[in-house]
Amino acid sequence: MVRRVVKVYPRFERLWHWTQMVMIVILLFTGFGLNGVHSLLPFGPAVMLHTIAALVLLAVWIFATFWLFTTGTWRQFVPQLEGLLQMARFYAYGVFRGEEPPYRKVFWRKHNPLQALTYFALKVVVFPAVWGSGLLYLTYNLWAADAASSFALYIIANVHLLAAYVIAAFVITHVYLLTVGHGFRSHVRPMVTGYDCIDLTPEQEAYLETNEPGRLLSRKK
């Protein structure tokens, strides 16, 4: 294997990531305001901003899902058990002792096993929960018919809130992990430029040099 700086994050993936980040921050800020955590924004504008951000994010997720499956990138998010415990140990213990991560990025696997499992759970469980409950919440007046609808709304609201807290916990953990290891800038830079240092087999390196030379930068020892 050789270490090369390779463009692993295409423009759409970076745009999707940063748009998603902005929308999630807006949704968390307005959502917690609507639930009484703060009063920095009046109720009416908070509802409007929350709804607009939610619809924008939903549109981004629809396009992203289409892109994941048409490009085959969805394979990056399939969990694997191999190396999972080692990564959990590294984040819980090894990182504080200055140990090197037990996983190095490879051409067809950008995410370590713990990242892949986390993203998979978000995309398959948490995000659908917040989508579905949010849309039901938004269209309550269209389907509410009797007294039982009030109890249904109570369940929907709490599912939505629980999913929001899970996403908030993920955001906090995600930002924290960007500060460990080789530093915040080295973790964020690839999602800005698209280039990251990964391991390539000689065959992969030869293929990229021949067919996609623009994706390769310097050689790393």
Side-chain angles (χ1 to χ4, degrees), residues 140-162:
Y140 173 74
N141 291 331
L142 299 179
W143 56 265
D146 49 38
S149 301
S150 297
F151 179 72
L153 183 62
Y154 173 79
I155 299 297
I156 290 167
N158 280 278
V159 168
H160 193 72
L161 189 59
L162 176 61

Side-chain angles (χ1 to χ4, degrees), residues 9-25:
Y9 299 105
R11 185 176 302 169
F12 176 78
E13 189 169 3
R14 286 176 281 143
L15 177 63
W16 159 34
H17 176 273
W18 293 114
T19 303
Q20 179 175 249
M21 182 205 73
V22 172
M23 293 302 108
I24 286 177
V25 169

Side-chain angles (χ1 to χ4, degrees), residues 8 15 48 52 56 60 62 73 75 112 120 147 162 190 201 219:
V8 293
L15 177 63
M48 181 178 296
I52 292 172
V56 170
V60 170
I62 291 172
T73 311
R75 296 182 181 88
N112 68 54
F120 182 81
L162 176 61
T201 64
R219 181 185 293 272

Side-chain angles (χ1 to χ4, degrees), residues 198-218:
I198 64 171
D199 287 336
L200 295 175
T201 64
E203 293 79 12
Q204 291 168 344
E205 184 181 34
Y207 169 82
L208 291 173
E209 287 179 338
T210 303
N211 299 283
E212 302 180 69
R215 291 184 61 183
L216 290 171
L217 289 182
S218 61

Side-chain angles (χ1 to χ4, degrees), residues 108-127:
W108 294 116
R109 196 75 181 180
K110 294 180 288 190
H111 306 303
N112 68 54
L114 197 57
Q115 286 175 319
L117 180 62
T118 302
Y119 294 143
F120 182 81
L122 284 170
K123 294 176 186 301
V124 173
V125 179
V126 180
F127 286 166

